[in-house]
């Protein structure tokens, strides 16, 4: 029950998708439609896990008066308050959307905008030409950077033409090779799952 | 210790302040700069431009607030182009934030161009595990979405849905996918473009662009709008320069600053190594 | 006074303050971010999936198999009860199997197109049939770079084989150019992230620019 059933479910689910895609009968009885719906619904009913985990972790912070516990109070109040508001007025509600548009959008956008500063700092501290390969990488990077900005364009059409060539020929070739490798890797993992060799998701070792 | 070596130990906050000023000043005093159009951007523009009037443009809204500076301007430009051509726009988000963001943009541009929700455009809404919903839409949109739009309103009552039952090449003229990661264009390729033959153009964040280029070469993408520069080019093609164009001046100075940082860092490194 | 941009502006500054030093204001903003993100996804799914599925699909149309799928999803919560935590493997197994099935069935089609496109005719000609030298050289270069970059990922063939050895090292150069292009584009993307913030602060909030 603990190992065999989950393995059976895994293999059956994978084979059902293959059956639905490649077999005429599977297509006729619309196996994929049912599988997609089951995946969609089961996944959604598992969404509460984030809410529960956050409640447990931050509830504990408050109970034990851990450092910064007042932030946990704010988190729980805002999380449940916003949830309640959303359930009452729906996600189209004026207040619900106002909070999302004015608070969340700015928080999220700013959080990620910090990366601009980190790349500036990393460029200064970490981008070193230690080898010929690193030098080639740097030249390609500089050329693409120049070709991407109006300033580079003003230097002459060769800057943009060169950037386009880098993007369309060496970059495309290298990225395609990497993607083919990644697809083969994903395919191999899927085969390991379907053959029952990969069991990490069942808490075991593969 | 010479000046370059001393600069190696500089406080990162000094770099942050310099970088902030380099970007902030051109934003405060913007100067429009000319910009040539990349072939891939023009292809994406023409892809929408060639769609017959009244046909359906399927928009994949797969990005979050962090990439709005890049994806927002191009989203607006494509919506403006589509509404101008009287295309019917169907928004399908696979990212939860994509639903809210594209709704905001479509409301803004729709109001400006007097387009009616439910008749000229619709937002199908985000659902968890949206990749499965995407494949379901190729068979039956109403069943895939449980019959409701983003706000829980019945889709069957909307005029736009009267002749639209599934995402396939007979009913949808093309897809314009706005992607910043996963799920995104790869899922469209697997589940819609290849099995159903619906053509697709992509707008992506500049980080993703190098990885998406192979699909332009193979013709699987009908065009590719690359980051803020691509967005600025698209704004120009639509004839309404906006925030992307305004940002290109600051981009220039920001890029030059990064190049200078790399050069200075390497001078210090090479001097240290030569000893 | 516009309250929305004011709130957005203050929260933006709160997050940016992290660049100087981690501080209580940043921590507070960070907690707000997590709280709103969590509830937002739940509310949207309630409106777009849970409510219509239960009301229409299950109760009205009698799709009780959907109720079973919901129960399967709910089993994930057994992980909070150590004695029956193993039951949570059931939904997990279904999701993993579903994903593996899709990789096997749907992923190959786009990949095959990529491979097909790699083996094209080298000679490029215009409409009149005249040879386009530049495009032809590019086609040859593209093919060589792709094959050699693939060789770089050969782990089952020894590099002592001169074809694989030299091929892989040429491929390494192609990959370096690709990564350089990726870095160049990343710079544009990262700067854009902050430009958006500046445009918001100086434009939407403070109205210093249009």
């Amino acid at each position: 029950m603990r190992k065999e059933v989950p393995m059976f479910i895994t293999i059956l689910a994978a084979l059902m998708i293959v059956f639905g895609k490649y077999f005429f009968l599977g297509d006729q009885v619309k196996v994929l439609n049912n599988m997609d719906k089951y995946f969609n619904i089961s996944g959604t009913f598992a969404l509460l896990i984030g809410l529960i985990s956050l409640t447990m972790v931050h509830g504990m912070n408050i109970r034990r008066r851990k450092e910064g516990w007042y932030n946990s109070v704010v988190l729980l109040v805002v999380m449940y308050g916003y949830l309640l508001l959303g359930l009452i007025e729906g996600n189209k509600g004026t207040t619900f959307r106002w909070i999302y548009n004015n608070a969340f959008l700015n928080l999220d956008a700013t959080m990620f905008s910090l990366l601009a500063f980190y790349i500036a700092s990393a460029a200064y501290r970490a981008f070193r030409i230690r080898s010929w390969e690193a030098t080639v990488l740097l030249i390609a990077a500089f050329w693409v950077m120049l070709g991407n900005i109006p300033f580079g364009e003003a230097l002459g059409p060769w800057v943009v033409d060169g950037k386009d060539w880098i993007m369309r020929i060496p970059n495309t070739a290298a990225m395609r090779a990497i993607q083919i490798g990644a697809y083969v890797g994903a395919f191999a993992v899927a085969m390991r799952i379907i053959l029952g060799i990969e069991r990490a998701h069942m808490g075991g070792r593969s | 210790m010479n000046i370059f070596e001393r600069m190696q130990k500089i406080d990162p906050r000094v770099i942050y302040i310099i970088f902030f000023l380099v970007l902030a000043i051109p934003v405060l005093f913007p100067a429009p700069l000319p910009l040539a159009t990349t072939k891939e951007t023009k292809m994406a523009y023409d892809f929408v431009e060639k769609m017959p009037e009244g046909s359906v443009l399927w928009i994949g809204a797969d990005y979050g607030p962090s990439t709005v500076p890049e994806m927002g301007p191009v989203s607006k430009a494509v919506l403006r182009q589509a509404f101008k051509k009287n295309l019917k726009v169907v928004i399908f988000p696979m990212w939860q934030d994509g639903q809210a963001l594209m709704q905001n943009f479509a409301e803004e541009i729709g109001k400006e161009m007097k387009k009616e929700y439910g008749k000229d455009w619709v937002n199908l809404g985000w659902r968890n595990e949206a990749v499965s919903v995407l494949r379901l839409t190729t068979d039956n949109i109403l069943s895939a979405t449980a019959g409701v739009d983003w706000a829980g309103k019945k889709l069957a009552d909307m005029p736009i849905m009267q002749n639209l039952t599934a995402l396939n090449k007979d009913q949808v003229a093309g897809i314009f996918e706005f992607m910043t990661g996963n799920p995104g264009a790869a899922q469209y390729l697997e589940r819609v473009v290849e099995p159903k033959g619906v053509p697709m153009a992509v707008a992506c964040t500049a980080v993703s662009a190098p990885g998406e280029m192979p699909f332009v070469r193979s013709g699987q993408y009908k065009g590719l709008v690359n980051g803020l520069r691509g967005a600025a080019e698209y704004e120009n093609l639509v004839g309404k320069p906006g925030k992307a164009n305004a940002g290109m001046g600051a981009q220039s100075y920001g890029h030059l600053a990064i190049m200078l940082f790399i050069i200075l860092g390497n001078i210090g490194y090479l001097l240290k190594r030569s000893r | 006074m516009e309250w929305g941009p004011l709130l957005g502006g203050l929260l933006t500054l709160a997050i940016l303050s992290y660049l100087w030093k981690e501080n209580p204001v940043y921590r507070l903003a960070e907690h707000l971010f997590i709280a709103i993100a969590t509830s937002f996804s739940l509310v949207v799914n309630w409106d777009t999936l849970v409510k219509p599925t239960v009301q229409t699909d299950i109760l009205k149309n009698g799709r009780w198999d959907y109720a079973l799928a919901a129960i399967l999803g709910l089993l994930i919560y057994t992980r909070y009860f150590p004695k029956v935590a193993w039951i949570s493997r059931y939904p997990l197994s279904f999701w993993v199997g579903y994903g593996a099935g899709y990789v096997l069935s749907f992923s190959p089609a786009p990949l095959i197109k990529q491979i097909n496109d790699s083996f094209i005719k080298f000679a490029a000609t215009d409409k009149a049939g005249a040879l386009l030298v530049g495009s032809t050289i590019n086609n040859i270069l593209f093919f060589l770079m792709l094959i050699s970059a693939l060789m770089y990922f050969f782990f089952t063939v020894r590099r002592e084989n001169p074809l694989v050895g030299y091929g892989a090292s040429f491929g390494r150069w192609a990959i370096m150019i690709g990564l350089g292009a990726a870095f160049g584009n990343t710079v544009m993307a990262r700067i854009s992230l902050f430009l958006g913030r500046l445009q918001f602060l100086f434009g939407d909030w403070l109205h210093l620019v249009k």
Side-chain angles (χ1 to χ4, degrees):
Chain A
M1 285 294 277
R2 294 182 184 210
K3 293 255 175 192
E4 290 77 10
V5 175
M7 198 188 293
F8 175 73
I9 294 173
T10 307
I11 296 169
L12 184 70
L15 288 178
M16 291 291 273
I17 302 286
V18 175
F19 177 65
K21 166 78 178 168
Y22 290 115
F23 289 76
F24 176 73
L25 187 63
D27 187 46
Q28 289 301 300
V29 296
K30 296 193 183 290
V31 173
L32 286 178
N33 283 8
N34 285 328
M35 291 298 284
D36 281 334
K37 266 287 178 192
Y38 299 158
F39 181 70
N40 181 216
I41 293 168
S42 61
T44 302
F45 276 82
L47 254 188
L48 279 175
I49 210 149
L51 187 91
I52 295 170
S53 295
L54 282 170
T55 307
M56 283 168 69
V57 170
H58 289 275
M60 193 75 85
N61 284 353
I62 296 166
R63 263 208 305 279
R64 294 189 181 164
R65 290 286 190 273
K66 278 192 177 172
E67 198 192 333
W69 61 272
Y70 41 87
N71 285 326
S72 296
V73 175
V74 173
L75 185 142
L76 292 179
V77 169
V78 173
M79 186 168 75
Y80 282 101
Y82 194 53
L83 180 65
L84 198 66
L85 175 73
L87 292 177
I88 293 168
E89 64 172 20
N91 90 89
K92 65 177 185 304
T94 318
T95 318
F96 186 83
R97 285 186 76 188
W98 189 90
I99 293 172
Y100 181 86
N101 284 333
N102 292 297
F104 183 76
L105 287 193
N106 291 299
L107 284 166
D108 188 305
T110 317
M111 198 72 85
F112 286 93
S113 76
L114 299 178
L115 290 171
F117 293 92
Y118 297 149
I119 203 168
S121 176
Y124 180 67
R125 291 162 166 269
F127 204 135
R128 297 283 180 264
I129 38 173
R130 291 196 166 88
S131 61
W132 285 109
E133 280 100 337
T135 313
V136 169
L137 194 149
L138 183 79
I139 292 168
F142 268 39
W143 208 316
V144 170
M145 281 155 81
L146 271 178
N148 273 338
I149 53 175
F151 177 80
E153 219 166 293
L155 292 175
W158 56 274
V159 178
V160 179
D161 292 346
K163 179 219 57 168
D164 288 342
W165 184 84
I166 289 173
M167 289 293 285
R168 287 172 196 153
I169 307 295
N171 167 72
T172 302
M175 291 299 164
R176 184 172 285 174
I178 292 169
Q179 280 160 0
I180 290 173
Y183 266 119
V184 172
F187 207 83
V189 171
M191 284 306 291
R192 282 168 64 86
I193 288 170
I194 217 169
L195 295 172
I197 302 168
E198 185 71 51
R199 297 175 194 183
H201 63 285
M202 292 188 292
R205 286 183 192 160
S206 50
Chain B
M1 204 189 258
N2 65 36
I3 185 164
F4 289 112
E5 284 171 347
R6 227 174 291 159
M7 277 169 66
Q8 296 273 294
K9 295 196 171 73
I10 206 166
D11 187 336
R13 286 180 289 194
V14 176
I15 296 174
Y16 296 163
I17 291 171
I18 295 170
F19 199 56
F20 176 83
L21 292 174
V22 165
L23 296 178
I25 293 167
V27 169
L28 281 168
F29 308 101
L33 297 162
L35 210 60
T37 305
T38 319
K39 188 178 93 184
E40 288 80 2
T41 310
K42 182 72 170 57
M43 282 163 63
Y45 174 81
D46 289 342
F47 169 68
V48 179
E49 205 56 26
K50 282 177 189 153
M51 287 179 188
E53 195 167 315
S55 60
V56 174
L57 172 66
W58 186 280
I59 284 185
D62 303 325
Y63 58 93
S66 60
T67 45
V68 163
E70 287 178 291
M71 308 307 287
V74 67
S75 299
K76 285 188 193 177
V78 171
L79 283 166
R80 190 168 272 124
Q81 183 189 13
F83 287 151
K84 202 170 162 189
K85 280 193 62 72
N86 289 321
L87 300 179
K88 304 284 178 197
V89 173
V90 176
I91 298 166
F92 180 78
M94 287 196 285
W95 284 40
Q96 62 175 28
D97 298 309
Q99 167 189 302
L101 294 166
M102 201 56 93
Q103 180 68 24
N104 288 346
F105 296 139
E107 277 177 5
E108 182 192 328
I109 307 294
K111 198 175 161 192
E112 186 188 312
M113 304 189 76
K114 298 187 175 54
K115 296 291 172 182
E116 200 183 313
Y117 182 81
K119 185 173 152 242
D120 302 303
W121 66 281
V122 68
N123 183 346
L124 297 181
W126 173 76
R127 287 148 196 89
N128 193 40
E129 314 297 4
V131 175
S132 58
V133 186
L134 174 67
R135 217 239 17 112
L136 279 162
T137 59
T138 62
D139 188 70
N140 188 328
I141 295 173
L142 288 185
S143 153
T145 54
V148 296
D149 73 348
W150 73 285
K153 270 193 207 158
K154 280 208 165 129
L155 285 169
D157 300 339
M158 297 182 188
I160 192 171
M161 299 305 292
Q162 299 315 308
N163 297 316
L164 180 66
T165 56
L167 170 54
N168 57 43
K169 66 180 172 189
D170 299 326
Q171 299 185 40
V172 175
I175 300 161
F176 209 117
E177 160 68 358
F178 296 87
M179 66 156 282
T180 49
N182 202 322
Q187 282 64 34
Y188 270 97
L189 277 179
E190 289 174 3
R191 289 158 167 83
V192 187
V193 176
E194 293 302 336
K196 298 292 170 186
V198 189
M200 173 172 77
V202 172
C204 67
T205 173
V207 177
S208 317
E212 303 307 317
M213 287 300 284
F215 300 100
V216 183
R217 190 184 162 94
S218 60
Q220 285 162 293
Y221 294 173
K222 303 299 173 202
L224 181 72
V225 183
N226 174 2
L228 194 77
R229 187 196 159 107
E233 291 170 6
Y234 211 103
E235 282 181 347
N236 290 337
L237 286 168
V238 174
K240 186 117 182 166
K243 279 189 170 172
N245 269 277
M248 281 315 286
Q251 276 285 2
S252 277
Y253 294 107
H255 274 69
L256 293 175
I258 297 253
M259 283 188 245
L260 194 69
F261 287 149
I262 294 174
I263 292 167
L264 287 176
N266 276 290
I267 291 175
Y269 166 74
L270 291 172
L271 282 175
K272 203 175 162 187
R273 208 173 67 164
S274 66
R275 294 212 183 133
Chain C
M1 164 96 61
E2 288 177 285
W3 293 104
L6 176 68
L7 175 69
L10 293 176
L11 290 173
T12 301
L13 294 180
I15 300 284
L16 287 178
S17 68
Y18 180 78
L19 286 169
W20 196 255
K21 199 180 169 189
E22 177 152 0
N23 60 73
V25 181
Y26 167 78
R27 298 287 292 176
L28 181 71
E30 191 187 32
H31 281 73
L32 281 176
F33 170 69
I34 298 167
I36 300 175
T38 309
S39 296
F40 181 75
S41 62
L42 290 172
V43 171
V44 173
N45 270 294
W46 177 260
D47 283 349
T48 59
L49 197 134
V50 178
K51 219 158 73 173
T53 301
V54 173
Q55 279 177 354
T56 314
D57 290 336
I58 300 176
L59 296 176
K60 200 172 148 201
N61 300 338
R63 289 298 303 258
W64 290 96
D65 52 332
Y66 290 177
L68 289 177
I71 292 167
L72 181 71
L74 291 171
L75 289 180
I76 197 77
Y77 302 113
T78 57
R79 59 170 48 210
Y80 292 115
F81 308 98
K83 276 191 180 166
V84 288
W86 56 273
I87 298 176
S88 68
R89 291 176 192 163
Y90 287 13
L92 213 55
S93 300
F94 174 69
W95 298 331
V96 170
Y98 172 92
Y102 258 93
V103 171
L104 292 174
S105 320
F106 282 79
S107 296
L111 175 70
I112 288 167
K113 268 239 168 98
Q114 289 283 300
I115 295 171
N116 278 345
D117 179 66
S118 304
F119 296 91
I120 51 164
K121 204 169 74 175
F122 287 151
T125 49
D126 62 11
K127 279 178 189 162
L131 186 75
L132 297 167
V133 179
S135 303
T136 304
I137 293 171
N138 278 340
N139 284 347
I140 296 168
L141 268 178
F142 177 82
F143 180 76
L144 290 177
M145 283 176 172
L146 172 67
I147 295 295
S148 58
L150 277 170
M151 280 181 187
Y152 183 70
F153 295 111
F154 280 1
F155 298 115
T156 45
V157 184
R158 284 178 180 275
R159 291 273 162 92
E160 281 84 53
N161 180 327
L163 182 70
V164 178
Y166 287 116
S169 62
F170 182 63
R172 203 175 144 92
W173 291 96
I175 292 170
M176 284 300 151
I177 300 175
L179 294 178
F183 180 83
N185 273 285
T186 304
V187 168
M188 180 160 78
R190 297 293 178 252
I191 293 176
S192 302
L193 300 182
F194 188 64
L195 274 183
R197 293 294 75 209
L198 287 172
Q199 286 175 336
F200 168 76
L201 287 174
F202 296 150
D204 302 324
W205 184 28
L206 301 173
H207 301 295
L208 296 175
V209 285
K210 239 179 148 186

